[in-house]
Amino acid sequence: MGDVIGEVLFAEAQIRARVREMAQEITAILPAKDLLLVAVLKGSLFFLVDLCRELPAECEIEFMQVSSYHGGTTSSGDVQIRKDLDVSIEGRDVLIVEDIVDSGATLSRLLAFLGSKGPRSLSVVTLLSKARAKGIDVPAMIVGFEIPDEFVVGYGLDYGERYRGLPYISILREADRLP
Ligand code: IMP
Ligand code: MG
């Protein structure tokens, strides 16, 4: 591991402990048997893998990909679905697995999109949530950590596709931004 990128917000052990707790929160409110995790690529990959290992073995995994950033550090608000699901979610208990909720635009779009496909229930788990997302109307959302309105990287989260592999989550410094 090289130099630390940015100011460490959550260390590896802290993330691991919180993910374990979140799995317990999920199994307390959702039926373990038929649960379908819909992970939003690519940011939620690391979280998905760790979370899934803490959940009952029957859980299934599917992927979607959306884009709203187009490379920078602010959402464009124009949320496009780049990869749809390959399976039907009709009658399923669906849990959207997100890395971070910022403005809430991505999540609102996903909720409307998946909600129209007839799931039995639709819930959300996000590792991180920025304060300004508080106003959005999400029926059931489990949040790992509330964070300030800063741009963060690591543990799956990227800045222009960089820094996803960092085992911790840190606040991106000016010096680490692309020229
Ligand atoms: P929203 O649509 O504004 O809620 O943005 C959600 C998406 O933007 C997330 O799923 C991330 O992919 C990305 N995003 C938002 N904030 C950050 C951040 O601080 N670091 C890295 N990606 C972010
Ligand atoms: Mg994302």
Side-chain angles (χ1 to χ4, degrees), residues 40-41 43 98-99:
V40 187
L41 292 170
E98 259 288 24
D99 49 357

Side-chain angles (χ1 to χ4, degrees), residues 69 75 98-100 102-106 130 150-152 157-158:
Y69 262 52
S75 174
E98 259 288 24
D99 49 357
I100 185 165
D102 182 2
S103 67
T106 303
K130 292 190 192 175
E150 300 273 7
F151 197 81
V152 293
L157 291 144
D158 74 306

Side-chain angles (χ1 to χ4, degrees), residues 4 12-13 15 28 31 71 88-89 105 127 131 137 140 149-150 154-155 158 165 168 174:
V4 170
E12 205 176 346
I15 299 170
S88 164
I89 58 166
L127 181 65
D137 183 26
D149 195 5
E150 300 273 7
Y155 195 68
D158 74 306
Y168 49 84
E174 276 307 317

Side-chain angles (χ1 to χ4, degrees), residues 38-166:
V38 173
V40 187
L41 292 170
K42 306 172 195 169
S44 69
L45 265 181
F46 292 57
F47 176 43
L48 170 77
V49 169
D50 288 346
L51 181 70
C52 192
R53 287 189 286 200
E54 301 289 341
L55 287 171
E58 292 83 2
C59 286
E60 296 174 30
I61 299 171
E62 292 293 336
F63 296 98
M64 283 192 67
Q65 187 161 16
V66 294
S67 68
S68 65
Y69 262 52
H70 317 301
T73 58
T74 48
S75 174
S76 69
D78 164 32
V79 183
Q80 289 169 10
I81 296 191
R82 295 177 56 192
K83 186 208 170 304
D84 194 353
L85 290 172
D86 301 320
V87 296
S88 164
I89 58 166
E90 206 177 327
R92 302 293 306 266
D93 290 299
V94 173
L95 178 64
I96 299 174
V97 180
E98 259 288 24
D99 49 357
I100 185 165
V101 179
D102 182 2
S103 67
T106 303
L107 194 53
S108 300
R109 176 91 168 88
L110 278 172
L111 284 167
F113 183 81
L114 295 175
S116 71
K117 291 175 182 276
R120 193 164 84 103
S121 69
L122 189 53
S123 323
V124 181
V125 60
T126 183
L127 181 65
L128 306 174
S129 176
K130 292 190 192 175
R132 71 191 182 113
K134 280 228 167 70
I136 69 157
D137 183 26
V138 178
M141 177 154 83
I142 293 172
V143 176
F145 302 101
E146 299 278 356
I147 64 163
D149 195 5
E150 300 273 7
F151 197 81
V152 293
V153 293
Y155 195 68
L157 291 144
D158 74 306
Y159 167 59
E161 296 302 323
R162 292 182 182 183
Y163 310 136
R164 291 193 198 274
L166 298 173

Side-chain angles (χ1 to χ4, degrees), residues 29-40:
I29 60 164
L30 287 171
K33 274 281 175 212
D34 195 36
L35 193 59
L36 177 66
L37 307 181
V38 173
V40 187

